Amino acid sequence: MRSCGWAGTILRVDLSSGAIERQPLEAGFARAFLGGQGFAEKLIFDACDFSERDPFSAKNVLCVAPGALSGTLTPGSGRLTVAVGLSPSLGGYLDANAGGGFASELKWANYDAIVITGQAPHPVYLRIADDQVELRDARQLWGKRVRECDHLLQHEVALTQYARLIIGPAGENRVHGSMPTCDLFRAPSAGSTGAVFGAKNLKAIVVKGTRGVPVARPAEAFAAFRAVYEKNRAEARFKRFGEQGTKWLVELSGTLTCQYNMQVRDFPYEHLSIERFRKEFASGSKACHACFQHCDHHWQINSGDFSGEQGSGGEAGTIIPLGPMCGVSDYATILHLTNLVNDLGLDSITAGCAVATAMHWWQEGLLTAADTGGLRLEWGDAQAEEQLILQIAERRGFGAVLAEGTFAAAGELARRRGLELARLTSLIRSNKKRREVPADFRPLKGMAFSRALDIRECDVLNTDTLMAEGNVDYERYRHIGVPEPVARQWADSYICNPMVFDDKSLAKFYSDNHLSVCNSLGICQRFTTWAQMRMGLEDIARCFSAVTGIDVTWEDLHQAGDRIRQLEQAMQLLHGFRKADDYFPDAYYNSPVTQGRFEGAELDRGEYTTELENLYRLRGWDKDGRPTAAHLHQAGLDDVAAKLRAVELLAP
Amino acid sequence: MKILAVDHTRCTGCRLCEIACSLHHDGVANPAAARLAIVRWEEEGLHVPAVCQQCDVAMCELVCQPHAIRRNPATAALVVNYELCIGCRMCVIGCPYGAMSVHPLGRPVLKCNLCDGEPRCVQFCETGALQYLEPQAVSFAKRSATARKLIGGES
């Protein structure tokens, strides 16, 4: 009998031998880990050799997993998880996330996850058409950018309207920040998963599904959908995101970003206003699968150097790093660069941060024309930015140095020029896990806390705007779908006061669980509580129950979220991360913002530590962030506890 | 007698209409089994709903030898009677718009029946790319936009 909601099959591909296996999905596994992020984590945990430190080893595990509710009627259920056992740029487990249509298509082809191991003897791509799964020669596609590769694929895959993940030159060249591009414009951007595709000689995955997903109780699914639809559409924010996407945040976040040197400068943010984008560039709204909020745009450039160019995307998280952080304020140029990074298969945040860092080094005299082969990296020079991005993706010139990431580049420069390493690294903005942080969150305590801790950053499933909300009362919490007892607890707390550190651990605890649920069910965070929309865990539980036929409460999902976070922490520990990595670099603490709207704002290390240890306590971990056997047992993770015990990483 | 009106410029490509359609008719979320399709050009950002027009002179009805396609007088929709359908798929070939298709798993052919006057696709279309309208309302929005342009206003 087929399950409802889930497809019932996990696909395993060994690129070394070419073996393709289908493994039935176990009911207990599905209920415990839900799908998407949860599935990817557990499948990778079971298959990962934590002693292997080479991310390009054939042993590294790659997993592509749609959410449990992807491909169904659940609002905004088009999210896809792309995960690796060992991320080349972060040195640990990483799951990235993308929208678009790939997740649902894979579900309609009847797969809950693809687990990819080994290394193909030459470039291949994976073609999936329902139960026909084959590896095909991709030698003729190697070296091609994403769009050109897609054109060539269209001629040979003999599929209509398929979905695809394609790496560009950046992934092939194993570049820091590379990613497979999803349906040309969507980005599972975090953690350099593209480089793992490249190392495995896997150029693309194309999928077409015609089997569909059975829904246990269609009438209930329709009703659950309708409830969210009516609630969310009535919100002012819905209209704003629907018309403006995240682009309205660009001007707003001008107070948090700058020319990358942690100080607010004069930058003509009005050039990047949403009004201007809509008037000059937008040609229509675009949506991911099953999303009625359609926050993406298709756009066209109608004059100037890039006249005639068109594309999609351009989230705030793309525009800010490629534009303001590098001092570039021409909208058309930034859109052109957006297309370029998508086409190269390069994450815009990583690329923008790399260029901005190099510009900053240049400005400080730490980098000269002798190091860059004559490329002058002045702030605001868009042509230099474009050249450097191309060099990074193709590993040419100074780009070859940056292709290893900014920290590696700092090391190389320090070695070459006899500079003090700390002088170079102090200008890199990232958290201790070496994830770039493209804004200065010192003024906003909740966001700073989450940015410091996150292994993944800046996709729309990791927003936590609620923590920057200001004063929120019980009625408002209920309004945005916070379950009753939780809303009561929050109403007596400082969760939403962005200016103080108090209770940010509580906020992080709830938001992480909530996000893990969203990531695992494939639901876009933008519909939900933490983005101040009204789809709460109770709504999500209703959708889940109607689709799968398994009745769950919001508490069940909340606990599943915790289970997924326990597993994530276990993997972080097994990969060598410790408490010290749960901080920002030292320069971030006890150094106040010296100008602008938030002058005087600072992060206090003592307060930070208090909240960090509170978060550990809420998770049932000890003071050093190590899980306890009891808590893991309660979460049904005895096998995880055993693995931690074997290397003495379990709390005593 | 209402008409299913399409304005492709409003379509965002979310495909909720396809899922709602297949779920309503078959209990399975499966665009391949939907009675309409969103034809997508990803690179150009174009999404065009391809839906049955319930033609006045309907090729599907004319080519159907066993007369399995008949008009429902209540909705004016041409409806497939699967008891009579022999699965020859001449209707699919005959439709000049490609609005009929072959079911991947179950029924031989797929055709929109306007959900007996409550088209589910329309209920799930947030932007109004699909609407179920009285005939006189179908082109009114375009007419008034054109008229506004003529008198020098913003369309």
Side-chain angles (χ1 to χ4, degrees), chain A residues 2 79 106 140 175 184 197 218 283 390 414 423 429 431 452 506 577 618 650:
Chain A
R2 275 188 69 184
R79 308 293 309 187
L106 191 57
Q140 74 290 5
V175 167
L184 307 184
F197 274 71
S283 52
L390 282 165
R423 270 194 79 198
R429 264 214 233 148
N431 64 17
L506 194 65
F577 289 93
L618 288 164
L650 210 53

Side-chain angles (χ1 to χ4, degrees), chain A residues 71 105 108 147 151 161 185 210-213 215 222 225-226 229 233 238 285-287 289-292 294 298, chain B residues 12 14-16 19-20 23 27-32 38-40 42-45 47 104-105 123-124 126-127:
Chain A
E105 202 69 50
W108 297 327
R147 285 197 200 187
H151 293 165
Q161 305 263 292
F185 302 112
T210 68
R211 299 297 172 84
V213 183
V215 170
F222 275 122
F225 179 99
R226 179 62 54 186
Y229 185 79
R233 273 190 95 210
F238 174 86
S285 280
K286 246 185 106 165
H289 159 82
C291 170
F292 55 88
H294 48 78
H298 197 73
Chain B
T12 64
C14 78
R15 307 179 73 187
L16 276 165
I19 299 164
L23 191 57
V28 177
N30 186 12
I38 306 300
V39 184
R40 294 164 294 137
E42 222 47 83
E43 205 169 343
E44 290 79 13
H47 313 103
L105 301 170
Q123 292 174 9
F124 287 83
E126 198 275 335
T127 61

Side-chain angles (χ1 to χ4, degrees), chain A residues 7-25:
Chain A
T9 303
I10 289 166
L11 189 65
R12 291 185 177 271
V13 180
D14 178 357
L15 292 168
S16 297
S17 66
I20 293 167
E21 287 174 14
R22 291 167 182 77
Q23 181 190 350
L25 180 73

Side-chain angles (χ1 to χ4, degrees), chain B residues 50-105:
Chain B
V51 304
C52 171
Q53 305 298 309
Q54 314 294 354
C55 305
D56 286 350
V57 180
M59 288 299 174
C60 56
E61 182 185 28
L62 293 172
V63 297
C64 181
Q65 293 302 317
H67 301 294
I69 298 182
R70 304 269 176 94
R71 199 176 294 274
N72 172 350
T75 59
L78 290 141
V79 182
V80 180
N81 178 342
Y82 290 104
E83 310 246 307
L84 298 176
C85 170
I86 56 170
C88 69
R89 303 180 191 85
M90 288 299 281
C91 53
V92 178
I93 299 165
C95 173
Y97 299 103
M100 285 191 67
S101 57
V102 179
H103 197 295
L105 301 170

